[in-house]
Amino acid sequence: MNRGPGTATGAVSEGRLRIGGRDVPTVAGRTYQVHNPANGALVAEVADAGETDVTLAVGAALASFDAGTWRRMPAPLRGEILRAASGLIEAREAELARLESLCSGKPVTDCLAEVRAAARYFRYYGAAVDHMTGQTIPVNATGLDLTLREPIGVCALIVPWNGPIAIAAKKAAPALAAGNSIVLKPAPVTPLTALELADICRQAGVPDGVFNVLTGSQRALGQQLVAHPDVAKISFTGSTDTGVDILTRAAPGIKRVSLELGGKSPNVIFADADLAEVAASAIAAVFANSGQDCCARSRIIVERRALGEFVELMSDLAGKVRQGDPLDPEVKLGSLISASQKDRVLGFIDRAVADGAEVVCGGHVVSRPGLEAGNALAPTIITGAAPDSEVATTEVFGPVATVLPFDGEAEAIALANATRYGLSGSLWTRDIGRAIRVGREIRSGLLSINSDSSSYIQAPFGGYRQSGLGKEQGLDGLYDFTEVKNIYVSDR
């Protein structure tokens, strides 16, 4: 890490942006503080960028794109640099995981897995760039028609706090592989690994100006970046409401936009499934990262005759989840990201109870060593909520599972689709015919059958309806950062 002198508390001084291949202070000289959401300790003093810094970062990215050093580099050579970055990420995985845990309150073992995922993204797209091919097309003429895939230009990558380094890599690696220049804006509370990622790419050989990072505490920073006239593509992960705002701001420039937004993912469980296996899997599927995951299977839809047994199994397992200091490698559940997020989640629980629902387990703040900030909530299971209630249809983004009963396939499908989202979901049954019938009818970009794992680097990731636009991961994720040019060559 590019560290300053630090503070008496041991906090990092990281008061510089990454612009044009240099570490620079903000024009106004402003910084802000990042605190550990688990214990409240000061983690870092970070550069607080403003509108002038946006102009400088986008200008540096555009200058590098126009110069063409990166975009004109043969694709296999770009791939070699990205694979070198992958190796550098792996060499520093313990350090990066610790930084991520300190900023996010997430268990360090989860952070380590995400750092390793970031390395895999760079390795995958370092190899996938060799497959960024066009086509030759037979047309009604005697010449030759062909297509090329070309980089879009300056890409603004806006990353959330719930998976900072993994999501940054998910966007940056394909954007760079395609030959674009990027401006990465991490979430205000989790900025450190984004800065480190830029440093790693620079060390691996990415030219100056191609990878820029803006850190900042104000919502206006992202809005200014999105609206900048020289930004050609925006890739955003975050809330659906913010996605709507981005589309509005991007519209005047007809910018290319990809959005990975909210979810209220169903977990449909038929009575013929192995309920013990499903309950064990459901614990991680909804409570990992304290439920702060757009793919969390938080809408658990269980065939009525299995409802009591399933709730008992899952409640018993939820009470055994080890929660505590996120830096303890044995801990499975840490803290929510902030006090405001904790209050938001508790509000959902209180309103559900007021409307007649029952909290079967959890629903309270956890106070243990390492969680002194008071932002940790116990895994919570709610039953008896109406299918169209707030807690059953709205993304809570906390460790809260709402369990709903159903009778028959038609009702299961209707419940699974009864939200504005369509990101991911799971379906459990031993009946293959039922799996095919029901799976086809669930309106979701990702669906796992007899599993809660549906997101893989090699496969496309993205939602239906208000869960987003475009695809990430796989070759689709690479192509999403390109424009297709059709060329006809006359033989005359």
Side-chain angles (χ1 to χ4, degrees), residues 18-38:
R18 306 292 188 265
I19 297 178
R22 297 185 301 125
D23 303 348
V24 298
T26 65
V27 171
R30 293 194 306 264
T31 62
Y32 71 100
Q33 293 183 340
V34 173
H35 290 86
N36 185 327

Side-chain angles (χ1 to χ4, degrees), residues 346-360 363 380-385 391:
L346 287 174
F348 274 97
I349 297 170
D350 290 344
R351 290 189 296 274
V353 171
D355 288 341
E358 178 186 355
V359 175
V360 177
T380 302
I381 298 174
I382 292 176
T383 61
V391 76

Side-chain angles (χ1 to χ4, degrees), residues 38-91:
N39 62 23
L42 179 64
V43 175
E45 193 88 19
V46 183
D48 197 359
E51 188 168 7
T52 305
D53 302 300
V54 171
T55 300
L56 292 174
V58 175
L62 181 62
S64 71
F65 187 79
D66 288 344
T69 304
W70 181 247
R71 65 181 170 88
R72 293 195 186 106
M73 183 183 293
L77 296 184
R78 288 202 303 270
E80 288 181 12
I81 291 173
L82 296 184
R83 292 194 295 274
S86 174
L88 293 171
I89 293 169
E90 290 175 329

Side-chain angles (χ1 to χ4, degrees), residues 105-107 110 267 278-300 310-311 313-323 331-336 345 349 359-363 377-382 396-403 452:
K106 184 184 302 188
D110 290 357
N267 194 352
V278 179
S281 181
I283 291 293
V286 66
F287 297 137
N289 195 12
S290 293
Q292 299 169 129
D293 183 349
C294 54
C295 288
R297 271 64 165 179
S298 58
R299 186 177 169 87
I300 302 179
F310 177 81
V311 170
L313 286 167
M314 189 175 177
S315 299
D316 180 62
L317 292 171
K320 297 176 181 177
V321 174
R322 182 162 179 175
Q323 191 165 9
V331 160
K332 301 300 182 184
L333 199 63
S335 168
L336 290 168
V345 176
I349 297 170
V359 175
V360 177
C361 67
L377 293 183
T380 302
I381 298 174
I382 292 176
V396 176
F397 230 60
V400 179
T402 302
V403 183
D452 283 318

Side-chain angles (χ1 to χ4, degrees), residues 155-199:
C155 299
L157 313 180
I158 303 177
V159 174
W161 43 258
N162 62 319
I165 192 169
I167 297 175
K170 181 194 291 191
K171 297 179 185 298
L176 293 171
N180 298 286
S181 294
I182 65 175
V183 180
L184 173 62
K185 193 201 85 65
V189 292
T190 52
L192 298 185
T193 51
L195 295 166
E196 294 302 300
L197 196 58
D199 292 345

Side-chain angles (χ1 to χ4, degrees), residues 31-295:
T31 62
Y32 71 100
Q33 293 183 340
V34 173
H35 290 86
N36 185 327
N39 62 23
L42 179 64
V43 175
E45 193 88 19
V46 183
D48 197 359
E51 188 168 7
T52 305
D53 302 300
V54 171
T55 300
L56 292 174
V58 175
L62 181 62
S64 71
F65 187 79
D66 288 344
T69 304
W70 181 247
R71 65 181 170 88
R72 293 195 186 106
M73 183 183 293
L77 296 184
R78 288 202 303 270
E80 288 181 12
I81 291 173
L82 296 184
R83 292 194 295 274
S86 174
L88 293 171
I89 293 169
E90 290 175 329
R92 296 178 55 193
E93 63 178 26
E95 173 197 355
L96 293 169
R98 185 175 185 276
L99 286 176
E100 201 81 295
S101 181
L102 290 173
C103 290
S104 68
K106 184 184 302 188
V108 70
T109 49
D110 290 357
C111 295
L112 185 61
E114 292 181 11
V115 171
R116 290 170 177 169
R120 289 197 300 274
Y121 279 117
F122 274 86
R123 185 179 302 112
Y124 175 82
Y125 285 108
V129 70
D130 292 347
H131 303 282
M132 196 173 65
T133 58
Q135 297 175 297
T136 56
I137 302 171
V139 296
N140 189 25
T142 57
L144 176 67
D145 194 271
L146 57 94
T147 62
L148 302 176
R149 287 196 174 271
E150 298 184 335
I152 298 171
V154 177
C155 299
L157 313 180
I158 303 177
V159 174
W161 43 258
N162 62 319
I165 192 169
I167 297 175
K170 181 194 291 191
K171 297 179 185 298
L176 293 171
N180 298 286
S181 294
I182 65 175
V183 180
L184 173 62
K185 193 201 85 65
V189 292
T190 52
L192 298 185
T193 51
L195 295 166
E196 294 302 300
L197 196 58
D199 292 345
I200 284 169
C201 286
R202 181 168 53 185
Q203 183 181 350
V206 173
D208 292 349
V210 172
F211 194 146
N212 307 275
V213 180
L214 291 172
T215 59
S217 63
Q218 301 301 313
R219 178 181 174 86
L221 181 65
Q223 296 171 337
Q224 291 157 359
L225 181 59
V226 165
H228 195 288
D230 290 329
V231 169
K233 158 84 178 185
I234 300 148
S235 179
F236 168 77
T237 297
S239 73
T240 296
D241 290 344
T242 302
V244 171
D245 183 69
I246 286 173
L247 281 176
T248 302
R249 294 175 189 276
I254 317 296
K255 300 173 189 289
R256 279 53 179 151
V257 178
S258 58
L259 303 172
E260 197 274 279
L261 306 176
K264 188 69 174 178
S265 299
N267 194 352
V268 180
I269 303 163
F270 283 87
D272 67 335
D274 183 332
L275 296 183
E277 177 189 1
V278 179
S281 181
I283 291 293
V286 66
F287 297 137
N289 195 12
S290 293
Q292 299 169 129
D293 183 349
C294 54
C295 288

